[in-house]
Amino acid sequence: MPDKFQSFIGGKWADSETRASYANINPADINDVIGRFPACGPADVERAVESAVKGFERWSRVPAPKRGEVLKRAGDLLTLRKDEIADGMTREMGKPLTETRGDVQEAIDTAYYAASEGRRLFSHTAPSELRDKMGFAIRRPAGVFGIITPWNFPLAVPSWKIFPALCCGDAVVWKPAQDTPWTAVKFVEILLEAGLPPEAVQLVTGFGGEAGAPIVSHRKVTGVSFTGSTAVGCRIAAVCGEMGKPVSLEMGGKNAQLVMDDADLDLAIEGVLWGAFGTTGQRCTATSRLILHQAIHDEVVGRLTERAKKLKLGDGRRKGTDVGPLINEDSRDKVEKYVRIGQEEGATMATGGEIPSGNGLERGWFYRPTIFTDVTPKMRIAQEEIFGPVLSVIRVKDFDEGIEVMNGVRYGLSSSIYTSDVTRAFRAIDRIEAGITYVNGPTIGAEAHFPFGGVKDTGNGHREGGWPVYDFFSDLKTVYVDYSGKLQKAQIDT
Ligand code: UN1
């Protein structure tokens, strides 16, 4: 019998009202069932939101520095349990242990950042235009937030949302991806152990249609923060738009690394291997296009292909594994579909393009790191997000064409340029249409205390990470105090 896990609703661990549950499976070995988790539905969401409203009343009255102390303890507990959580996270979503340890570390960093923000939560003040009058804005808790998160960073991405929300005094109703409920259970356990009032966090496991959608449309849910696909994000935004709710969206990417003729090629090759095939290419920041200056194109392709062939596929919990499996069958099918599309479009497959077997690989959703060359900018494999270990290489004649190709997609999350020319580097920073640009580093590796997010179809103007996210999760109240003892009229008593 597989282990049975529960959601956390109404201040206690609970099954779904309908008792429906689903199996959570190790993507590196589909015979390994991690456990059964509640498949929650609208009735569970109703209970969760009602309870979160009470949690908000209580938590929002705790002084912000004290809220920060709870988050500090959560960071300490994550630090103590880093290896255990990384191990379980790899088991449930596949990326190698070094990466899941990084995922936990990102949550720890975010916890400590949020903890210290409890003693700031700065806002604005400015001199009044009138005598004997003062004006300032104060930051206030905003309400109950719906948090909907993906499986590729099962702890880091939720922590980017949940810690700042809690720091601001909000309560959260969290629907984690159906593929990574185990990590979510661990996160909630830690929040409770750290001293969070139970009703301030609600964990609703299950599927988007049944468990996610009712959170988004619930009238007592103040706002929604979502990371996932552009298609789902836009549907969520439509509902929030109708209801006048704030919504923060972090969506698709088609990130490129541009390598110029003056680049350090060793560095550029290391960078693209990590950016394209780390997390099996399943990051919204993953490098899925490599734009090469024609002068170094053949050399980079030759050396990169050799290196990619040597990447070791396997169970992420086994030592020496470079690349884990895809998250599930649908994701691998999608990768296979795009590889076929690439071939039909006339791109050349330099390596990969197959499902591996042997050494137990047939038990998981593995796919060989794949590189397409002779890709032209309008091909679907150069335009659409694949979310897997597939890299499209595009040759350009110069810097201007490189930037044009880089910008010629609907997304704008991350980007990278390798060059030793400082002028080119700054021109690239200026001209690349993306929320993040790396110089001489791959497209992945965002740090917890910097703004994170994208332009164009990647986002809707909000940022996570760093300080901007605190704007999203709090309200501003502007206060005017007139101590003149008479009626003063702004704009009229000039
Ligand atoms: C994501 O893929 O959704 O910069 C987040 C990075 C990580 C976060 C990725 N720190 O690649």
Side-chain angles (χ1 to χ4, degrees):
M1 275 294 278
D3 288 344
K4 192 170 154 290
F5 292 84
Q6 292 180 303
S7 283
F8 190 76
I9 296 175
K12 48 184 188 293
W13 295 99
D15 294 326
S16 152
E17 292 227 332
T18 63
R19 307 251 160 229
S21 69
Y22 70 99
N24 179 20
I25 299 207
N26 178 347
D29 178 359
I30 58 173
N31 300 318
D32 176 24
V33 180
I34 292 144
R36 294 196 71 84
F37 290 77
C40 292
D44 302 301
V45 170
E46 188 58 39
R47 279 193 300 132
V49 175
E50 287 303 335
S51 169
V53 168
K54 291 200 207 108
F56 173 69
E57 276 164 22
R58 187 164 156 207
W59 180 240
S60 60
R61 285 201 291 266
V62 174
K66 294 282 168 214
R67 297 197 295 255
E69 284 169 21
V70 172
L71 304 182
K72 156 81 171 57
R73 280 198 293 279
D76 293 344
L77 291 166
L78 284 167
T79 307
L80 280 174
R81 294 175 65 180
K82 183 170 172 178
D83 287 336
E84 171 214 333
I85 295 176
D87 186 76
M89 192 192 294
T90 294
R91 185 177 169 209
E92 89 171 337
M93 61 71 68
K95 64 186 175 185
L97 279 179
T98 42
E99 294 190 35
T100 47
R101 286 172 57 84
D103 195 310
V104 181
Q105 187 58 47
E106 202 160 338
I108 295 167
D109 297 342
T110 306
Y112 290 151
Y113 185 91
S116 68
E117 199 56 45
R119 288 198 177 264
R120 283 186 297 268
L121 286 180
F122 292 142
S123 164
H124 304 273
T125 184
S128 166
E129 65 191 41
L130 294 167
R131 282 169 201 269
D132 297 331
K133 185 180 170 192
M134 216 181 260
F136 53 89
I138 50 174
R139 208 175 273 285
R140 313 249 293 161
V144 172
F145 276 82
I147 306 288
I148 300 182
T149 55
W151 46 264
N152 63 339
F153 277 82
L155 192 62
V157 168
S159 82
W160 291 357
K161 302 174 191 298
I162 291 173
F163 285 138
L166 293 176
C167 176
C168 289
D170 301 327
V172 296
V173 180
W174 177 24
K175 209 298 274 174
Q178 70 258 21
D179 289 302
T180 50
W182 182 88
T183 306
V185 165
K186 296 296 133 184
F187 191 13
V188 171
E189 279 174 9
I190 281 175
L191 288 172
L192 299 172
E193 198 181 328
L196 187 73
E199 291 183 312
V201 59
Q202 310 280 334
L203 174 67
V204 182
T205 57
F207 298 81
E210 296 75 27
I215 297 175
V216 172
S217 61
H218 200 293
R219 64 189 173 78
K220 291 188 183 163
V221 169
T222 311
V224 176
S225 180
F226 167 81
T227 297
S229 71
T230 297
V232 173
C234 289
R235 285 210 297 279
I236 290 175
V239 175
C240 291
E242 285 275 325
M243 301 180 78
K245 287 183 190 186
V247 56
S248 171
L249 303 172
E250 205 52 69
M251 307 182 284
K254 192 70 190 173
N255 315 294
Q257 174 177 319
L258 169 61
V259 184
M260 293 305 301
D261 49 348
D262 56 16
D264 176 333
L265 298 188
D266 295 334
L267 205 61
I269 290 165
E270 286 297 329
V272 72
L273 278 167
W274 176 227
F277 303 124
T279 324
T280 323
Q282 303 170 109
R283 294 194 189 208
C284 39
T285 50
T287 310
S288 59
R289 297 178 296 151
L290 177 64
I291 306 172
L292 296 177
H293 188 284
Q294 57 185 359
I296 45 89
H297 175 276
D298 294 352
E299 183 183 347
V300 172
V301 165
R303 290 173 56 190
L304 175 64
T305 307
E306 284 317 303
R307 292 286 302 275
K309 280 184 184 153
K310 293 201 183 99
L311 291 172
K312 201 164 168 331
L313 270 79
D315 184 330
R317 291 199 288 172
R318 204 168 300 146
K319 231 183 149 72
T321 294
D322 297 309
V323 181
L326 276 305
I327 186 69
N328 55 34
E329 185 169 18
D330 284 352
S331 293
R332 190 172 70 178
D333 286 351
K334 186 176 173 199
V335 169
E336 276 199 290
K337 181 187 93 178
Y338 273 101
V339 168
R340 262 198 317 277
I341 290 172
Q343 287 169 309
E344 281 159 20
E345 287 178 312
T348 307
M349 195 191 293
T351 182
E354 60 167 9
I355 292 175
S357 57
N359 289 330
L361 292 178
E362 55 285 339
R363 288 204 295 273
W365 306 120
F366 292 95
Y367 199 85
R368 284 222 185 281
T370 300
I371 300 176
F372 276 113
T373 56
D374 302 316
V375 177
T376 56
K378 293 280 173 270
M379 285 182 184
R380 288 182 65 190
I381 56 167
Q383 290 286 329
E384 297 172 22
E385 187 176 45
I386 302 172
F387 226 65
V390 182
L391 180 69
S392 298
V393 182
I394 304 170
R395 180 201 300 256
V396 293
K397 63 176 186 308
D398 56 19
F399 174 78
D400 285 335
E401 191 187 351
I403 298 288
E404 194 185 315
V405 169
M406 170 97 72
N407 289 343
V409 292
R410 60 188 284 225
Y411 300 112
L413 181 55
S414 190
S415 56
S416 144
I417 178 166
Y418 280 75
T419 179
S420 53
D421 179 341
V422 71
T423 312
R424 269 184 182 158
F426 274 89
R427 277 199 194 127
I429 293 168
D430 194 33
R431 286 173 54 188
I432 292 173
E433 296 165 359
I436 305 167
T437 295
Y438 290 88
V439 177
N440 294 331
T443 59
I444 68 178
E447 299 177 26
H449 56 301
F450 282 98
F452 180 95
V455 299
K456 295 157 77 175
D457 287 356
T458 293
N460 66 339
H462 291 285
R463 288 291 179 272
E464 307 201 87
W467 50 98
V469 71
Y470 293 85
D471 274 331
F472 180 73
F473 285 114
S474 58
D475 275 338
L476 286 179
K477 171 178 281 188
T478 306
V479 182
Y480 295 105
V481 181
D482 190 322
Y483 50 96
S484 69
K486 58 185 185 217
L487 174 64
Q488 299 198 87
K489 296 179 185 151
Q491 296 91 38
I492 291 169
D493 297 341
T494 55

